[in-house]
Amino acid sequence: MHRIVFLGPPGAGKGTQATRLSRSLDIVHLSTGDLLRSAVSERTNLGIEADRYMRAGQLVPDELVIKVIEDNLRRPSAKTGFLLDGFPRTLRQAEALAIITPLDRVVSFEIPEEQLLERLTQRRSCPKCARAYNLATQPPRVADHCDDDGTELVQRPDDLPEAVRTRLTVYQDQTAPLLAFYQRLGLLRPINAAGDVDEVGARVRTATA
Ligand code: AMP
């Protein structure tokens, strides 16, 4: 079965690759970032609580995101496989996940920090369908509008320089330790995440085959 986790710093291309791989394997793509952003725009209790952490580039408290993932993994659609993108991000989340489900692969996206900064500042996304673009390397066909639904693209508030710096520090402090955790379990598959979308996509397919 394909029970996959994508691990890596913000801007490494996890979301873009997750969209492609989940379509080709026909498994659900669960992005906690996307799920939280919809909660924020729908002004649910979860969204109202999560918003202030997200804007600052901080992690949303573990118990909230664990509940989101647990609810989604319980659905019938996740029974035949799933791809987690952006979860887990702390050791506590990884331990909670291990109780909910076994995993088959953890793909770690490796990329130099200067390329992350470049990707994050050039990123624009569709507020309706969450598709991401890069103004330099993956621009939309019509300037500033989503190819899929024509919605005007936005820059995420946490892609502004100050929040980006916080997110990179948070990644190093809280999420990077998961690499050793999954390495010890024999699940880790590191890939080189530099390069264009198709090149990285081919490496992702090899790592998850
Ligand atoms: P992402 O779209 O994955 O970059 O996530 C955007 C923001 O959502 C993060 O900076 C966090 O504030 C929050 N978030 C997403 N996933 C998690 C998670 N697993 N744990 C805590 N916060 C999260």
Side-chain angles (χ1 to χ4, degrees):
M1 213 199 288
H2 292 291
R3 289 167 299 193
I4 302 168
V5 165
F6 277 4
L7 201 61
K14 300 186 299 296
T16 301
Q17 296 298 337
T19 303
R20 291 161 62 112
L21 186 70
S22 59
R23 277 190 197 141
S24 81
L25 296 176
D26 194 22
I27 53 177
V28 281
H29 169 196
L30 295 174
S31 154
T32 37
D34 289 346
L35 291 166
L36 291 167
R37 276 184 290 277
S38 336
V40 170
S41 63
E42 286 159 21
R43 308 219 191 297
T44 65
N45 287 340
L46 168 68
I48 291 164
E49 175 72 12
D51 192 31
R52 56 200 168 105
Y53 296 99
M54 294 174 76
R55 279 180 186 280
Q58 301 281 0
L59 294 184
V60 172
D62 284 333
E63 55 276 15
L64 298 180
V65 275
I66 291 169
K67 170 105 178 41
V68 168
I69 280 296
E70 202 167 10
D71 290 348
N72 279 276
L73 287 178
R74 283 234 176 81
R75 299 203 176 137
S77 56
K79 295 293 171 232
T80 51
F82 54 78
L83 200 173
L84 301 184
D85 155 21
F87 183 96
R89 265 171 147 106
T90 65
L91 225 34
R92 247 196 83 204
Q93 293 177 19
E95 286 161 358
L97 179 62
I99 294 169
I100 304 169
T101 177
L103 297 173
D104 301 296
R105 290 273 195 286
V106 175
V107 180
S108 117
F109 285 59
E110 301 194 335
I111 183 163
E113 182 158 315
E114 58 277 12
Q115 288 191 35
L116 293 179
L117 289 170
E118 161 75 18
R119 286 190 189 178
L120 289 166
T121 51
Q122 297 293 320
R123 174 157 71 186
R124 298 292 181 276
S125 47
C126 174
K128 186 162 171 221
C129 74
R131 180 162 168 185
Y133 296 85
N134 180 299
L135 295 185
T137 58
Q138 291 258 293
R141 282 195 295 269
V142 177
D144 299 327
H145 290 81
C146 180
D147 289 351
D148 293 336
D149 53 39
T151 307
E152 192 167 352
L153 303 180
V154 295
Q155 183 169 31
R156 285 169 43 174
D158 60 349
D159 281 344
L160 298 172
E162 200 183 319
V164 163
R165 275 192 295 275
T166 306
R167 288 161 69 207
L168 292 172
T169 311
V170 165
Y171 176 79
Q172 285 310 332
D173 293 349
Q174 307 206 50
T175 310
L178 299 187
L179 296 170
F181 176 89
Y182 285 121
Q183 171 81 52
R184 275 196 296 279
L185 294 173
L187 294 171
L188 199 69
R189 301 288 184 279
I191 60 145
N192 172 6
D196 73 30
V197 177
D198 290 329
E199 281 166 3
V200 179
R203 296 180 200 131
V204 168
R205 274 192 303 283
T206 308
T208 51

